[in-house]
Amino acid sequence: MTKATTTEASGDEPERAPQRRSRVSGIDRAVQILDHLQQEGRAQTAYEVARAIGAPLSTVYAIVEDLLDKSLLARSGDGGVWLGPRLYHYGLAYARDLQVINVATHEMHVLAREVGETVQICGRDGGMMVVEAMAEGPGHFVITSRVGTRVPLNWTASGRLLVAGLDDAERSALFRRSAKASPTGRAVTDPATLLAQARDALAAGVSIQAGESDYAVACIAAPVLDEAGACPITVSIVLPEFRVNEEHANFVEAVKAAARRIEDKLGWRVGPFANGRRYG
């Protein structure tokens, strides 16, 4: 409750309760701008950014200019702005100290040489799968995605696995919010079906999709589970669809073995999720 104040004898107005500030801070606006550009995956004008994040155009212009001066943004050739080179250096410094990615990246290269195909390390950002690292295999058919590529969880084999650690209600809500139709029209969008597929994939310790996000492209992914049973990353083989049928068992065993090696090196294969009870 608000405590009443006493009017002074001089006739001054009663003291008013302070108003709750609704203004968004400059740092919050800067983060909104950077997040929006990352999510869009392309350069945009300050006007497009302001409209998308619901901020005053004058405010966005001022912050964009400040970020440009500090190389946190860079101008594109079409008059838009994009993420700047300073962010790349921050990312490199962060990655050097990120044990999980360092360990996973080593095993990623080992697996790529072993199977002769592209291998990716993927993580989750909300309802999106993000390619965090990638190694191209020595094969004749090279299938690649840029590091930083973001696609809806329901398009990918990894997406069924990255929901480990969430309960069924959380998984269903996440799929309901994030599932989208894919370019091929083959990606499952029904939350109940996705939930069942996630359960099956986690129980098997492997997830396979073919042609859901790209024509004639398949993916075989295995979860890397931490001590609590969450899946911070997956390791996945990206390959032509026809090879899944030809060498299915070999690819499955290779990707699961790579995931186990990552868990071993991080000390995660101890406790309740070790010794065949890792999934579920």
Side-chain angles (χ1 to χ4, degrees):
M1 294 179 63
T2 303
K3 186 176 181 179
T5 57
T6 303
T7 305
E8 299 292 337
S10 62
D12 291 341
E13 289 293 322
E15 183 182 346
R16 294 183 178 179
Q19 296 291 321
R20 178 175 294 179
R21 297 182 62 184
S22 60
R23 291 182 57 192
V24 178
S25 71
I27 189 66
D28 285 339
R29 285 298 189 203
V31 171
Q32 285 180 343
I33 291 168
L34 296 172
D35 282 351
H36 174 70
L37 290 173
Q38 179 198 35
Q39 290 163 7
E40 288 297 306
R42 63 180 179 87
Q44 290 202 316
T45 65
Y47 174 77
E48 290 175 312
V49 173
R51 186 174 59 180
I53 68 175
L57 183 57
S58 59
T59 299
V60 171
Y61 268 123
I63 294 175
V64 163
E65 289 300 322
D66 202 18
L67 294 175
L68 286 167
D69 288 341
K70 294 174 173 59
S71 297
L72 293 168
L73 289 179
R75 294 197 184 279
S76 62
D78 58 0
V81 293
W82 179 237
L83 304 178
R86 198 167 190 169
L87 295 173
Y88 178 68
H89 298 306
Y90 289 153
L92 288 176
Y94 177 71
R96 281 196 296 269
D97 291 329
L98 195 59
Q99 184 187 17
V100 174
I101 292 300
N102 287 342
V103 170
T105 297
H106 172 76
E107 294 301 333
M108 172 186 73
H109 286 285
V110 171
L111 180 60
R113 291 192 296 270
E114 177 185 348
V115 300
E117 298 290 351
T118 296
V119 176
Q120 296 177 342
I121 301 298
C122 299
R124 178 171 71 89
D125 182 9
M128 305 291 281
M129 186 212 76
V130 183
V131 178
E132 298 186 353
M134 185 188 70
E136 293 182 357
H140 296 295
F141 300 94
V142 179
I143 300 169
T144 64
S145 295
R146 293 183 303 167
V147 172
T149 296
R150 300 160 57 88
V151 297
L153 291 176
N154 66 303
W155 292 11
T156 67
S158 290
R160 274 70 162 174
L161 303 170
L162 290 165
V163 297
L166 303 179
D167 61 31
D168 281 353
E170 291 171 322
R171 292 177 192 175
S172 294
L174 181 61
F175 286 137
R176 194 159 44 248
R177 290 193 307 268
S178 63
K180 293 180 174 59
S182 67
T184 66
R186 293 169 63 180
V188 176
T189 57
D190 176 60
T193 303
L194 289 166
L195 177 60
Q197 291 179 345
R199 285 177 183 157
D200 291 343
L202 288 165
V206 68
S207 178
I208 303 173
Q209 68 88 5
E212 293 187 33
S213 59
D214 294 293
Y215 292 103
V217 176
C219 180
I220 303 174
V224 178
L225 299 182
D226 64 19
E227 305 100 316
C231 181
I233 59 170
T234 62
V235 56
S236 62
I237 304 170
V238 185
L239 68 168
E241 189 172 352
F242 70 87
R243 290 205 69 191
V244 174
N245 296 326
E246 289 181 354
E247 302 176 58
H248 176 275
N250 292 337
F251 285 126
V252 167
E253 182 51 41
V255 75
K256 291 175 73 172
R260 289 193 296 268
R261 290 195 300 269
I262 295 170
E263 292 172 347
D264 284 336
K265 290 183 178 180
L266 292 170
W268 287 351
R269 282 182 59 78
V270 294
F273 291 90
N275 302 323
R277 292 183 288 118
R278 300 166 57 235
Y279 310 108

Short mmCIF file of all heavy atoms in Angstrom, two decimals, residues 210-267:
data_model
loop_
_atom_site.label_atom_id
_atom_site.label_comp_id
_atom_site.label_asym_id
_atom_site.label_seq_id
_atom_site.Cartn_x
_atom_site.Cartn_y
_atom_site.Cartn_z
N ALA A 210 15.41 -37.26 -43.40
CA ALA A 210 15.82 -37.23 -44.80
C ALA A 210 14.85 -36.37 -45.59
O ALA A 210 13.65 -36.61 -45.57
CB ALA A 210 15.88 -38.64 -45.37
N GLY A 211 15.37 -35.37 -46.24
CA GLY A 211 14.56 -34.53 -47.13
C GLY A 211 13.59 -33.61 -46.44
O GLY A 211 12.73 -33.03 -47.10
N GLU A 212 13.70 -33.42 -45.15
CA GLU A 212 12.74 -32.55 -44.45
C GLU A 212 13.06 -31.07 -44.63
O GLU A 212 12.16 -30.25 -44.76
CB GLU A 212 12.68 -32.92 -42.97
CG GLU A 212 12.09 -34.29 -42.72
CD GLU A 212 11.88 -34.57 -41.24
OE1 GLU A 212 11.59 -33.63 -40.48
OE2 GLU A 212 11.99 -35.75 -40.84
N SER A 213 14.33 -30.73 -44.59
CA SER A 213 14.69 -29.32 -44.75
C SER A 213 15.23 -29.01 -46.14
O SER A 213 15.04 -27.91 -46.66
CB SER A 213 15.73 -28.91 -43.68
OG SER A 213 16.89 -29.70 -43.79
N ASP A 214 15.95 -29.96 -46.73
CA ASP A 214 16.52 -29.76 -48.09
C ASP A 214 16.30 -31.03 -48.90
O ASP A 214 16.42 -32.14 -48.38
CB ASP A 214 18.02 -29.47 -48.01
CG ASP A 214 18.32 -28.15 -47.34
OD1 ASP A 214 17.97 -27.10 -47.90
OD2 ASP A 214 18.90 -28.17 -46.23
N TYR A 215 16.05 -30.86 -50.19
CA TYR A 215 15.84 -32.00 -51.07
C TYR A 215 17.10 -32.85 -51.18
O TYR A 215 18.21 -32.31 -51.33
CB TYR A 215 15.41 -31.53 -52.46
CG TYR A 215 14.04 -30.91 -52.49
CD1 TYR A 215 13.90 -29.52 -52.56
CD2 TYR A 215 12.89 -31.69 -52.42
CE1 TYR A 215 12.64 -28.93 -52.59
CE2 TYR A 215 11.63 -31.10 -52.43
CZ TYR A 215 11.51 -29.73 -52.52
OH TYR A 215 10.27 -29.14 -52.53
N ALA A 216 16.95 -34.17 -51.07
CA ALA A 216 18.02 -35.14 -51.27
C ALA A 216 19.12 -35.06 -50.22
O ALA A 216 20.19 -35.62 -50.40
CB ALA A 216 18.62 -34.99 -52.67
N VAL A 217 18.86 -34.36 -49.10
CA VAL A 217 19.85 -34.23 -48.04
C VAL A 217 19.31 -34.91 -46.78
O VAL A 217 18.15 -34.73 -46.42
CB VAL A 217 20.18 -32.75 -47.74
CG1 VAL A 217 21.14 -32.64 -46.56
CG2 VAL A 217 20.77 -32.09 -48.97
N ALA A 218 20.16 -35.68 -46.13
CA ALA A 218 19.77 -36.38 -44.91
C ALA A 218 20.71 -36.01 -43.77
O ALA A 218 21.80 -35.47 -43.98
CB ALA A 218 19.78 -37.89 -45.14
N CYS A 219 20.30 -36.34 -42.56
CA CYS A 219 21.09 -36.05 -41.37
C CYS A 219 20.90 -37.16 -40.35
O CYS A 219 19.77 -37.61 -40.12
CB CYS A 219 20.68 -34.70 -40.78
SG CYS A 219 21.62 -34.23 -39.31
N ILE A 220 22.00 -37.60 -39.76
CA ILE A 220 21.97 -38.58 -38.68
C ILE A 220 22.64 -37.94 -37.48
O ILE A 220 23.82 -37.60 -37.53
CB ILE A 220 22.71 -39.88 -39.08
CG1 ILE A 220 22.11 -40.46 -40.37
CG2 ILE A 220 22.66 -40.90 -37.96
CD1 ILE A 220 22.86 -41.66 -40.90
N ALA A 221 21.89 -37.76 -36.40
CA ALA A 221 22.40 -37.01 -35.25
C ALA A 221 22.34 -37.86 -33.98
O ALA A 221 21.44 -38.68 -33.80
CB ALA A 221 21.59 -35.74 -35.05
N ALA A 222 23.31 -37.61 -33.09
CA ALA A 222 23.32 -38.25 -31.78
C ALA A 222 23.42 -37.17 -30.71
O ALA A 222 24.10 -36.16 -30.91
CB ALA A 222 24.49 -39.22 -31.66
N PRO A 223 22.75 -37.36 -29.57
CA PRO A 223 22.79 -36.35 -28.52
C PRO A 223 24.05 -36.47 -27.68
O PRO A 223 24.55 -37.57 -27.43
CB PRO A 223 21.55 -36.68 -27.69
CG PRO A 223 21.43 -38.17 -27.81
CD PRO A 223 21.88 -38.51 -29.21
N VAL A 224 24.56 -35.33 -27.23
CA VAL A 224 25.61 -35.29 -26.22
C VAL A 224 24.93 -34.84 -24.93
O VAL A 224 24.52 -33.69 -24.81
CB VAL A 224 26.74 -34.32 -26.62
CG1 VAL A 224 27.80 -34.25 -25.52
CG2 VAL A 224 27.37 -34.75 -27.95
N LEU A 225 24.77 -35.76 -23.99
CA LEU A 225 24.00 -35.50 -22.79
C LEU A 225 24.91 -35.16 -21.61
O LEU A 225 25.94 -35.81 -21.40
CB LEU A 225 23.14 -36.71 -22.42
CG LEU A 225 22.10 -37.16 -23.45
CD1 LEU A 225 21.31 -38.33 -22.92
CD2 LEU A 225 21.18 -36.01 -23.82
N ASP A 226 24.51 -34.15 -20.85
CA ASP A 226 25.28 -33.78 -19.67
C ASP A 226 24.84 -34.62 -18.47
O ASP A 226 24.01 -35.53 -18.59
CB ASP A 226 25.19 -32.29 -19.38
CG ASP A 226 23.77 -31.82 -19.05
OD1 ASP A 226 22.92 -32.67 -18.69
OD2 ASP A 226 23.50 -30.60 -19.14
N GLU A 227 25.39 -34.30 -17.28
CA GLU A 227 25.11 -35.11 -16.10
C GLU A 227 23.64 -35.10 -15.71
O GLU A 227 23.14 -36.04 -15.10
CB GLU A 227 25.92 -34.61 -14.90
CG GLU A 227 27.42 -34.55 -15.14
CD GLU A 227 27.88 -33.15 -15.46
OE1 GLU A 227 27.19 -32.48 -16.27
OE2 GLU A 227 28.91 -32.72 -14.91
N ALA A 228 22.93 -34.04 -16.07
CA ALA A 228 21.51 -33.92 -15.71
C ALA A 228 20.58 -34.52 -16.76
O ALA A 228 19.37 -34.53 -16.59
CB ALA A 228 21.15 -32.46 -15.47
N GLY A 229 21.14 -35.00 -17.87
CA GLY A 229 20.31 -35.56 -18.92
C GLY A 229 19.83 -34.56 -19.95
O GLY A 229 19.04 -34.88 -20.83
N ALA A 230 20.33 -33.30 -19.85
CA ALA A 230 20.00 -32.30 -20.87
C ALA A 230 20.94 -32.49 -22.06
O ALA A 230 21.98 -33.15 -21.96
CB ALA A 230 20.15 -30.90 -20.29
N CYS A 231 20.54 -31.93 -23.19
CA CYS A 231 21.32 -32.09 -24.43
C CYS A 231 21.77 -30.71 -24.92
O CYS A 231 21.10 -30.08 -25.74
CB CYS A 231 20.47 -32.79 -25.49
SG CYS A 231 21.32 -33.06 -27.07
N PRO A 232 22.92 -30.21 -24.46
CA PRO A 232 23.37 -28.89 -24.89
C PRO A 232 23.80 -28.85 -26.35
O PRO A 232 23.68 -27.81 -27.01
CB PRO A 232 24.55 -28.59 -23.96
CG PRO A 232 25.03 -29.93 -23.50
CD PRO A 232 23.81 -30.80 -23.43
N ILE A 233 24.31 -29.99 -26.86
CA ILE A 233 24.73 -30.05 -28.26
C ILE A 233 24.42 -31.42 -28.83
O ILE A 233 24.22 -32.40 -28.09
CB ILE A 233 26.23 -29.75 -28.44
CG1 ILE A 233 27.08 -30.77 -27.63
CG2 ILE A 233 26.58 -28.33 -28.06
CD1 ILE A 233 28.57 -30.70 -27.93
N THR A 234 24.42 -31.50 -30.15
CA THR A 234 24.37 -32.77 -30.86
C THR A 234 25.56 -32.84 -31.80
O THR A 234 26.13 -31.81 -32.18
CB THR A 234 23.08 -32.93 -31.69
OG1 THR A 234 23.05 -31.90 -32.69
CG2 THR A 234 21.84 -32.85 -30.82
N VAL A 235 25.93 -34.04 -32.18
CA VAL A 235 26.89 -34.25 -33.26
C VAL A 235 26.13 -34.95 -34.37
O VAL A 235 25.38 -35.90 -34.12
CB VAL A 235 28.12 -35.05 -32.79
CG1 VAL A 235 27.71 -36.38 -32.19
CG2 VAL A 235 29.09 -35.27 -33.93
N SER A 236 26.27 -34.46 -35.61
CA SER A 236 25.44 -35.00 -36.68
C SER A 236 26.23 -35.11 -37.98
O SER A 236 27.12 -34.30 -38.27
CB SER A 236 24.21 -34.12 -36.92
OG SER A 236 24.58 -32.82 -37.33
N ILE A 237 25.90 -36.14 -38.75
CA ILE A 237 26.47 -36.36 -40.07
C ILE A 237 25.45 -35.87 -41.09
O ILE A 237 24.29 -36.28 -41.07
CB ILE A 237 26.77 -37.85 -40.31
CG1 ILE A 237 27.70 -38.40 -39.21
CG2 ILE A 237 27.40 -38.06 -41.69
CD1 ILE A 237 27.84 -39.91 -39.24
N VAL A 238 25.89 -35.00 -41.98
CA VAL A 238 25.02 -34.48 -43.05
C VAL A 238 25.49 -35.10 -44.35
O VAL A 238 26.67 -34.97 -44.72
CB VAL A 238 25.08 -32.94 -43.12
CG1 VAL A 238 24.09 -32.43 -44.15
CG2 VAL A 238 24.80 -32.34 -41.75
N LEU A 239 24.61 -35.75 -45.08
CA LEU A 239 25.04 -36.56 -46.22
C LEU A 239 23.93 -36.66 -47.26
O LEU A 239 22.77 -36.34 -46.98
CB LEU A 239 25.45 -37.95 -45.75
CG LEU A 239 24.37 -38.91 -45.21
CD1 LEU A 239 24.95 -40.32 -45.09
CD2 LEU A 239 23.81 -38.48 -43.86
N PRO A 240 24.27 -37.10 -48.47
CA PRO A 240 23.23 -37.30 -49.48
C PRO A 240 22.23 -38.35 -49.01
O PRO A 240 22.60 -39.33 -48.36
CB PRO A 240 24.01 -37.79 -50.71
CG PRO A 240 25.41 -37.32 -50.49
CD PRO A 240 25.62 -37.36 -49.01
N GLU A 241 20.98 -38.14 -49.35
CA GLU A 241 19.92 -39.02 -48.85
C GLU A 241 20.13 -40.48 -49.23
O GLU A 241 19.85 -41.39 -48.43
CB GLU A 241 18.57 -38.53 -49.39
CG GLU A 241 17.36 -39.21 -48.78
CD GLU A 241 16.06 -38.54 -49.20
OE1 GLU A 241 16.11 -37.45 -49.83
OE2 GLU A 241 14.99 -39.11 -48.90
N PHE A 242 20.68 -40.72 -50.42
CA PHE A 242 20.81 -42.11 -50.86
C PHE A 242 21.81 -42.90 -50.00
O PHE A 242 21.70 -44.12 -49.88
CB PHE A 242 21.23 -42.18 -52.34
CG PHE A 242 22.65 -41.74 -52.63
CD1 PHE A 242 23.71 -42.64 -52.54
CD2 PHE A 242 22.92 -40.44 -53.00
CE1 PHE A 242 25.00 -42.26 -52.82
CE2 PHE A 242 24.22 -40.03 -53.27
CZ PHE A 242 25.27 -40.93 -53.18
N ARG A 243 22.76 -42.21 -49.37
CA ARG A 243 23.77 -42.92 -48.57
C ARG A 243 23.21 -43.41 -47.24
O ARG A 243 23.78 -44.32 -46.63
CB ARG A 243 24.99 -42.03 -48.31
CG ARG A 243 25.84 -41.75 -49.54
CD ARG A 243 27.26 -41.41 -49.13
NE ARG A 243 27.98 -42.56 -48.58
CZ ARG A 243 29.15 -42.47 -47.96
NH1 ARG A 243 29.72 -41.27 -47.79
NH2 ARG A 243 29.74 -43.54 -47.48
N VAL A 244 22.12 -42.81 -46.77
CA VAL A 244 21.53 -43.28 -45.52
C VAL A 244 21.09 -44.72 -45.64
O VAL A 244 21.31 -45.54 -44.73
CB VAL A 244 20.32 -42.38 -45.12
CG1 VAL A 244 19.62 -42.96 -43.90
CG2 VAL A 244 20.79 -40.98 -44.83
N ASN A 245 20.49 -45.07 -46.76
CA ASN A 245 20.02 -46.44 -46.96
C ASN A 245 21.18 -47.40 -47.22
O ASN A 245 21.15 -48.56 -46.80
CB ASN A 245 19.04 -46.49 -48.13
CG ASN A 245 17.78 -45.69 -47.85
OD1 ASN A 245 17.32 -45.64 -46.71
ND2 ASN A 245 17.23 -45.06 -48.87
N GLU A 246 22.22 -46.92 -47.88
CA GLU A 246 23.33 -47.79 -48.25
C GLU A 246 24.16 -48.21 -47.04
O GLU A 246 24.61 -49.34 -46.95
CB GLU A 246 24.23 -47.08 -49.27
CG GLU A 246 23.61 -46.94 -50.64
CD GLU A 246 24.56 -46.27 -51.62
OE1 GLU A 246 25.65 -45.82 -51.18
OE2 GLU A 246 24.23 -46.20 -52.82
N GLU A 247 24.43 -47.25 -46.13
CA GLU A 247 25.35 -47.53 -45.02
C GLU A 247 24.74 -47.09 -43.69
O GLU A 247 25.42 -46.56 -42.82
CB GLU A 247 26.67 -46.81 -45.25
CG GLU A 247 27.37 -47.17 -46.55
CD GLU A 247 28.62 -46.35 -46.76
OE1 GLU A 247 29.53 -46.40 -45.90
OE2 GLU A 247 28.70 -45.65 -47.79
N HIS A 248 23.46 -47.33 -43.53
CA HIS A 248 22.72 -46.86 -42.36
C HIS A 248 23.39 -47.27 -41.05
O HIS A 248 23.68 -46.43 -40.18
CB HIS A 248 21.29 -47.41 -42.43
CG HIS A 248 20.46 -47.08 -41.24
ND1 HIS A 248 20.46 -47.84 -40.09
CD2 HIS A 248 19.59 -46.06 -41.00
CE1 HIS A 248 19.65 -47.32 -39.21
NE2 HIS A 248 19.09 -46.24 -39.73
N ALA A 249 23.65 -48.53 -40.86
CA ALA A 249 24.18 -49.02 -39.58
C ALA A 249 25.55 -48.44 -39.27
O ALA A 249 25.84 -48.09 -38.11
CB ALA A 249 24.25 -50.55 -39.60
N ASN A 250 26.41 -48.32 -40.28
CA ASN A 250 27.75 -47.79 -40.06
C ASN A 250 27.72 -46.34 -39.61
O ASN A 250 28.44 -45.94 -38.68
CB ASN A 250 28.59 -47.91 -41.34
CG ASN A 250 28.90 -49.35 -41.70
OD1 ASN A 250 28.90 -50.23 -40.83
ND2 ASN A 250 29.16 -49.61 -42.96
N PHE A 251 26.87 -45.55 -40.23
CA PHE A 251 26.76 -44.13 -39.86
C PHE A 251 26.20 -43.97 -38.46
O PHE A 251 26.66 -43.14 -37.67
CB PHE A 251 25.88 -43.38 -40.86
CG PHE A 251 26.54 -43.12 -42.18
CD1 PHE A 251 25.94 -43.51 -43.37
CD2 PHE A 251 27.77 -42.47 -42.25
CE1 PHE A 251 26.54 -43.26 -44.59
CE2 PHE A 251 28.38 -42.22 -43.47
CZ PHE A 251 27.77 -42.62 -44.64
N VAL A 252 25.18 -44.76 -38.13
CA VAL A 252 24.56 -44.67 -36.81
C VAL A 252 25.58 -44.98 -35.73
O VAL A 252 25.70 -44.27 -34.72
CB VAL A 252 23.34 -45.61 -36.71
CG1 VAL A 252 22.88 -45.75 -35.26
CG2 VAL A 252 22.20 -45.07 -37.56
N GLU A 253 26.32 -46.06 -35.90
CA GLU A 253 27.30 -46.45 -34.88
C GLU A 253 28.41 -45.41 -34.77
O GLU A 253 28.87 -45.08 -33.67
CB GLU A 253 27.92 -47.81 -35.23
CG GLU A 253 28.90 -48.31 -34.18
CD GLU A 253 28.36 -48.27 -32.77
OE1 GLU A 253 27.18 -48.63 -32.58
OE2 GLU A 253 29.11 -47.90 -31.85
N ALA A 254 28.84 -44.84 -35.90
CA ALA A 254 29.92 -43.86 -35.89
C ALA A 254 29.52 -42.58 -35.16
O ALA A 254 30.29 -42.03 -34.36
CB ALA A 254 30.35 -43.54 -37.32
N VAL A 255 28.31 -42.09 -35.41
CA VAL A 255 27.90 -40.83 -34.78
C VAL A 255 27.61 -41.02 -33.30
O VAL A 255 27.92 -40.15 -32.47
CB VAL A 255 26.68 -40.21 -35.51
CG1 VAL A 255 25.38 -40.96 -35.21
CG2 VAL A 255 26.54 -38.74 -35.19
N LYS A 256 27.06 -42.18 -32.92
CA LYS A 256 26.83 -42.45 -31.50
C LYS A 256 28.16 -42.60 -30.75
O LYS A 256 28.30 -42.14 -29.60
CB LYS A 256 25.97 -43.71 -31.33
CG LYS A 256 24.53 -43.53 -31.80
CD LYS A 256 23.73 -44.81 -31.74
CE LYS A 256 23.38 -45.20 -30.33
NZ LYS A 256 22.42 -46.35 -30.30
N ALA A 257 29.14 -43.22 -31.39
CA ALA A 257 30.45 -43.36 -30.76
C ALA A 257 31.11 -42.00 -30.56
O ALA A 257 31.75 -41.76 -29.52
CB ALA A 257 31.35 -44.26 -31.61
N ALA A 258 30.95 -41.10 -31.53
CA ALA A 258 31.52 -39.76 -31.39
C ALA A 258 30.88 -39.02 -30.23
O ALA A 258 31.57 -38.34 -29.45
CB ALA A 258 31.34 -38.98 -32.69
N ALA A 259 29.56 -39.15 -30.09
CA ALA A 259 28.86 -38.49 -28.97
C ALA A 259 29.35 -39.05 -27.63
O ALA A 259 29.55 -38.30 -26.67
CB ALA A 259 27.35 -38.69 -29.11
N ARG A 260 29.58 -40.37 -27.57
CA ARG A 260 30.06 -40.97 -26.32
C ARG A 260 31.47 -40.48 -25.98
O ARG A 260 31.79 -40.26 -24.80
CB ARG A 260 30.05 -42.51 -26.43
CG ARG A 260 28.65 -43.11 -26.42
CD ARG A 260 28.70 -44.62 -26.20
NE ARG A 260 29.38 -45.30 -27.30
CZ ARG A 260 28.75 -45.80 -28.37
NH1 ARG A 260 27.45 -45.67 -28.50
NH2 ARG A 260 29.44 -46.42 -29.30
N ARG A 261 32.31 -40.31 -27.00
CA ARG A 261 33.68 -39.82 -26.74
C ARG A 261 33.65 -38.40 -26.18
O ARG A 261 34.43 -38.05 -25.28
CB ARG A 261 34.51 -39.87 -28.02
CG ARG A 261 34.85 -41.26 -28.50
CD ARG A 261 35.95 -41.26 -29.54
NE ARG A 261 35.62 -40.49 -30.73
CZ ARG A 261 35.04 -41.00 -31.81
NH1 ARG A 261 34.69 -42.30 -31.83
NH2 ARG A 261 34.79 -40.26 -32.87
N ILE A 262 32.75 -37.56 -26.72
CA ILE A 262 32.63 -36.19 -26.21
C ILE A 262 32.19 -36.22 -24.75
O ILE A 262 32.75 -35.51 -23.90
CB ILE A 262 31.64 -35.38 -27.07
CG1 ILE A 262 32.18 -35.21 -28.49
CG2 ILE A 262 31.39 -34.00 -26.44
CD1 ILE A 262 31.18 -34.63 -29.47
N GLU A 263 31.18 -37.03 -24.45
CA GLU A 263 30.70 -37.14 -23.06
C GLU A 263 31.81 -37.65 -22.14
O GLU A 263 31.97 -37.15 -21.01
CB GLU A 263 29.50 -38.08 -23.02
CG GLU A 263 28.26 -37.53 -23.70
CD GLU A 263 27.15 -38.54 -23.81
OE1 GLU A 263 27.40 -39.75 -23.58
OE2 GLU A 263 26.02 -38.13 -24.10
N ASP A 264 32.58 -38.63 -22.60
CA ASP A 264 33.68 -39.18 -21.79
C ASP A 264 34.69 -38.09 -21.45
O ASP A 264 35.12 -37.94 -20.30
CB ASP A 264 34.38 -40.32 -22.53
CG ASP A 264 33.58 -41.61 -22.51
OD1 ASP A 264 32.76 -41.78 -21.58
OD2 ASP A 264 33.77 -42.44 -23.41
N LYS A 265 35.11 -37.32 -22.46
CA LYS A 265 36.14 -36.30 -22.26
C LYS A 265 35.66 -35.17 -21.36
O LYS A 265 36.46 -34.53 -20.68
CB LYS A 265 36.60 -35.77 -23.61
CG LYS A 265 37.40 -36.78 -24.42
CD LYS A 265 37.91 -36.20 -25.72
CE LYS A 265 38.75 -37.22 -26.48
NZ LYS A 265 39.28 -36.68 -27.76
N LEU A 266 34.36 -34.92 -21.36
CA LEU A 266 33.79 -33.86 -20.51
C LEU A 266 33.42 -34.38 -19.13
O LEU A 266 32.98 -33.61 -18.27
CB LEU A 266 32.56 -33.25 -21.19
CG LEU A 266 32.84 -32.45 -22.47
CD1 LEU A 266 31.53 -32.11 -23.17
CD2 LEU A 266 33.62 -31.18 -22.16
N GLY A 267 33.58 -35.68 -18.92
CA GLY A 267 33.23 -36.26 -17.64
C GLY A 267 31.74 -36.38 -17.41
O GLY A 267 31.28 -36.44 -16.26
#
